[in-house]
Amino acid sequence: MQHIRVGISLPIRELCADLGAIREFAREAENLGFSHLRVPDQVIRPGGGYAHEAFMILAYVAAIAREIELVPSVIVTPLRQTALLAKQAAQLDVFTGGRTRLGLGVGSSEMEYGALGQDFGTRGKRADEQIELLKALWTQEKVRFDGRWDQIQDMGIDPLPIQRPIPIWIGARSQPVKAVRERIGCKADGWFVLCSPDEFDGLKADIDSAARQAGRDPGEIGTEAGIAVVGPREGEWQDRVKGWRDKGLTHLCLRTLGGGLDAEGHMARMHEVADQLGEVLGTSNA
């Protein structure tokens, strides 16, 4: 059975006002052997919601944690200018020495699209075009691109990222539209599993089929599920980890969010989970 990489979400929604706590959580996650840190994207939302901008907070973390992979996920791609997004991701990859993995998605809030002056109805098609351009901007010093939304003539970003291209991961729920399954199978390096274990096999079969039709090896497309380690089902996280491991996932992301913890509580819970992970996974470390 392949080794599974276990990361943890940086609880920026609950620790947002305390940069010192964010710094310590990131540093300790690395010290405990977690493979990656994930943060959500939020630019503007109805009713607000305190959260740092994903690239900015991970650039801050990059100066603190020197080995852990950093994963903004998922960036709502059509809300952002493609060249600027390419530049931001490339800079983070440079800051981390090639330890960036980029989660992309199209979002579901029409109100958010309106607030940022973007078209909600074409977001899927635009995301497909953006992925193509992102990969070109990350791998070529000068790009010629004539798309529906972006046109670039003999221009490029500098510096280029360390990873050329940066890995792109996309989220998929239990019944994503056909375009999402095809986007993952044809274009993505991996996908975030936003469904139950019972729904996983059918969804993966669709994505694998799309990959094969595109001439790709489905075995090279990663999978990552999230698991809460707090809340009403706090005591069941070990079984969920084992269940997803047995499904053959390549990555997991644990969450201390949602339990109403303070900074000390998040840190303590992370330590408790890390102490048990080796036994849960049948390994000597996480």
Side-chain angles (χ1 to χ4, degrees):
M1 184 175 294
Q2 67 182 358
H3 175 68
I4 190 168
R5 295 171 60 83
V6 182
I8 194 164
S9 288
L10 186 63
I12 61 171
R13 296 190 190 280
E14 294 180 359
L15 300 183
C16 202
D18 190 343
L19 287 175
I22 290 174
R23 180 173 62 245
E24 293 307 312
F25 189 96
R27 180 182 290 122
E28 197 61 15
E30 180 171 86
N31 291 340
L32 289 170
F34 286 100
S35 64
H36 57 283
L37 281 170
R38 276 176 59 179
V39 301
D41 180 34
Q42 179 174 314
V43 178
I44 187 169
R45 297 286 167 86
Y50 198 173
H52 293 293
E53 197 281 325
F55 284 111
M56 293 294 289
I57 196 64
L58 287 179
Y60 175 76
V61 169
I64 300 161
R66 303 301 177 89
E67 296 180 3
I68 200 167
E69 182 183 49
L70 302 184
V71 188
S73 66
V74 294
I75 301 296
V76 183
T77 320
L79 292 179
R80 299 184 180 234
Q81 296 170 313
T82 314
L84 179 58
L85 175 58
K87 179 78 170 186
Q88 290 174 311
Q91 286 278 235
L92 185 61
D93 200 54
V94 170
F95 292 162
T96 61
R99 291 179 287 110
T100 297
R101 177 162 51 100
L102 182 61
L104 299 181
V106 298
S108 59
S109 172
E110 189 169 356
M111 187 178 295
E112 186 176 13
Y113 271 80
L116 291 169
Q118 301 299 327
D119 182 16
F120 184 76
T122 59
R123 66 196 189 283
K125 289 186 170 83
R126 184 166 180 231
D128 286 332
E129 180 179 294
Q130 287 181 294
I131 291 171
E132 182 181 351
L133 179 54
L134 286 170
K135 291 181 179 181
L137 288 167
W138 290 332
T139 57
Q140 303 171 33
E141 292 183 358
K142 289 187 178 182
V143 172
R144 288 189 178 186
F145 189 88
D146 187 16
R148 176 178 172 184
W149 290 273
D150 289 291
Q151 296 82 38
I152 295 177
Q153 296 299 321
D154 294 321
M155 301 176 71
I157 61 172
D158 191 11
L160 291 173
I162 304 298
Q163 302 176 97
R164 301 180 188 177
I166 295 169
I168 288 177
W169 285 51
I170 295 172
R173 299 188 180 277
S174 57
Q175 294 181 329
V177 296
K178 181 179 178 182
V180 175
R181 298 193 297 266
E182 292 180 348
R183 187 173 302 130
I184 295 170
C186 298
K187 302 176 186 292
D189 298 286
W191 54 288
F192 298 111
V193 180
L194 307 176
C195 66
S196 71
D198 291 339
E199 298 164 322
F200 172 75
D201 291 337
L203 181 52
K204 185 176 186 301
D206 288 344
I207 291 171
D208 288 355
S209 176
R212 284 189 290 267
Q213 290 177 26
R216 304 182 67 202
D217 177 2
E220 295 180 356
I221 300 176
T223 46
E224 177 169 332
I227 296 175
V229 296
V230 295
R233 301 178 65 187
E234 177 179 321
E236 301 175 17
W237 71 267
Q238 298 97 330
D239 290 337
R240 295 200 296 278
V241 166
K242 292 176 183 177
W244 282 122
R245 178 203 60 192
D246 293 344
K247 287 286 187 182
L249 267 63
T250 60
H251 295 64
L252 292 176
C253 184
L254 308 183
R255 299 191 306 270
T256 61
L257 284 163
L261 303 177
D262 58 13
E264 185 176 336
H266 280 287
M267 191 76 73
R269 188 62 184 145
M270 177 169 59
H271 272 269
E272 291 169 1
V273 170
D275 287 344
Q276 298 177 53
L277 263 178
E279 181 178 351
V280 172
L281 292 171
T283 62
S284 59
N285 54 60

